[in-house]
Amino acid sequence: MPPSIVVENLRFGYARTDVLHGLSFAIQPGEVTGLLGPNGAGKSTTIKILTGLLEPGSGRVAIEGLELPRDALAVKRRIGYVPEAAELYETLSAHEFLALAGRLHDLEDAVLLPRIDALFGAFDLLDHAHGRLATFSKGMRQKVLVAAALVHDPAVVFLDEPLTGLDVESAVLVKTLLAALAARGRTILYSSHVLDVVERLCTRVLIVDKGSLVADGSPEALKARTRGTSLEAVFQDLTHADRVEPRVERILDGLGA
C-alpha cells in the first residue's frame, strides 16, 4: 500500500531565515503519527506545506499520490485540517459554518445534514447549533473546528494542537475518535506540545529540531533508544533541552529577593 504522505528533502525559508533543512519521511494509511519539536522547530510550517497553505522551497511533497503544490486543490479535497489558531466566520451560526464547509467539499444536503447533526450531537452542541460563532467560548469554537475538519470524511487529517480549550470529556472524545478513524484506514498527523497525550495516542512519533528530523519511531522504540522513561524524557534528550531545575531556582531566588 503506497504512503498517504510523502516528504522528501523538504526545504523552506522565510526571507533569509531557513526553517526546514531537508526533511524526509513517509506516513502509511492508518498511522497516527505525532509531530513534535520545540517552539520554532518548523512543525507548523511543515503542516502548512502539507495542507497546501505554503509552497515548498524545494523537495517533494505528495498527499494521497497528489503532488504539491501542483495538485493543491485536489489535495485540499482529501484532507481535514485543524489549525493551531483559526479565524471563524463569526457572523455565521455553527450550523451554517459546518454547512459551508461541507458544501465546499461538494457534499449533497442528503449526506451533509445528517453528518452535521451527528457531529453536533457527539460534541454536545445541538442546543447551540444555531447560535452565532461570535458568542461561542474557546472550547465550543474548537469543537466546531474539529467537526468542520471531519465533516467530509477526509482520508488524511492534520491536527495542530487540536485539544486547546476542550474540556476533559471532549478531549477524550477527540482522542478516541482519532484512534477509531485510524482503525478505518484514515491517516492522522498530530502536532502537539502535550507529550503525554502524544505518547498514549500515537503509534509513531517524528521529532523535529531546528528544521531537521532528529527521531522517527514508536514511543516505545524511542524510549529504548534513549533510555528515557517517558516521551518527555526522550524529547528533552533528543532536542538537548536545558534542565529546568536551575531556571526554576533562578525564578524562586528572584521572587524571594
Side-chain angles (χ1 to χ4, degrees), residues 41 45 55 57 68 73 82 125 149 162:
T45 296
E55 290 193 8
L68 285 169
L73 183 58
V82 180
L125 287 174

Side-chain angles (χ1 to χ4, degrees), residues 211-249:
S212 298
L213 189 66
V214 298
D216 179 0
S218 69
E220 293 75 18
L222 295 181
K223 285 189 282 187
R225 167 184 160 187
T226 62
R227 298 183 180 179
T229 57
S230 66
L231 190 57
E232 183 178 284
V234 170
F235 180 85
Q236 289 180 321
D237 180 57
L238 292 175
T239 61
H240 307 290
D242 293 336
R243 292 176 61 245
V244 299
E245 290 82 1
R247 291 151 69 185
V248 170
E249 287 298 325

Side-chain angles (χ1 to χ4, degrees), residues 14 26 72 92 103 111 125 130 155 157 163 178 243 245 250:
Y14 295 100
L92 297 181
R103 287 167 185 150
V111 173
L125 287 174
H130 298 285
V157 183
L163 305 184
L178 294 177
R243 292 176 61 245
E245 290 82 1
R250 287 200 296 272

Side-chain angles (χ1 to χ4, degrees), residues 203-222:
T203 54
R204 178 181 173 196
V205 173
L206 307 172
I207 299 180
V208 177
D209 189 26
K210 298 174 183 173
S212 298
L213 189 66
V214 298
D216 179 0
S218 69
E220 293 75 18
L222 295 181

Side-chain angles (χ1 to χ4, degrees), residues 77 101-108:
R77 292 184 180 277
R103 287 167 185 150
L104 286 173
H105 286 282
D106 297 324
L107 293 182
E108 298 290 339

Side-chain angles (χ1 to χ4, degrees), residues 8-61:
E8 295 176 352
N9 198 28
L10 176 61
R11 298 178 181 274
F12 183 84
Y14 295 100
R16 298 181 180 180
T17 303
D18 291 333
V19 178
L20 302 177
H21 308 280
L23 212 58
S24 296
F25 58 87
I27 301 177
Q28 297 295 326
E31 282 193 311
V32 184
T33 302
L35 181 62
L36 306 180
N39 290 332
K43 304 184 302 301
S44 292
T45 296
T46 299
I47 290 179
K48 287 177 181 177
I49 292 172
L50 294 177
T51 53
L53 297 177
L54 293 174
E55 290 193 8
S58 62
R60 177 175 178 245
V61 178

Side-chain angles (χ1 to χ4, degrees), residues 102-164:
R103 287 167 185 150
L104 286 173
H105 286 282
D106 297 324
L107 293 182
E108 298 290 339
D109 281 0
V111 173
L112 173 60
L113 298 180
R115 286 188 185 179
I116 292 175
D117 287 343
L119 286 162
F120 281 170
F123 282 112
D124 197 23
L125 287 174
L126 281 176
D127 290 342
H128 306 279
H130 298 285
R132 299 296 166 192
L133 291 171
T135 68
F136 276 30
S137 68
K138 182 175 179 62
M140 292 167 66
R141 288 167 177 249
Q142 194 68 11
K143 292 177 185 180
V144 172
L145 283 172
V146 174
L150 299 178
V151 70
H152 56 294
D153 192 19
V156 183
V157 183
F158 297 93
L159 306 110
D160 198 350
E161 299 291 358
L163 305 184
T164 301

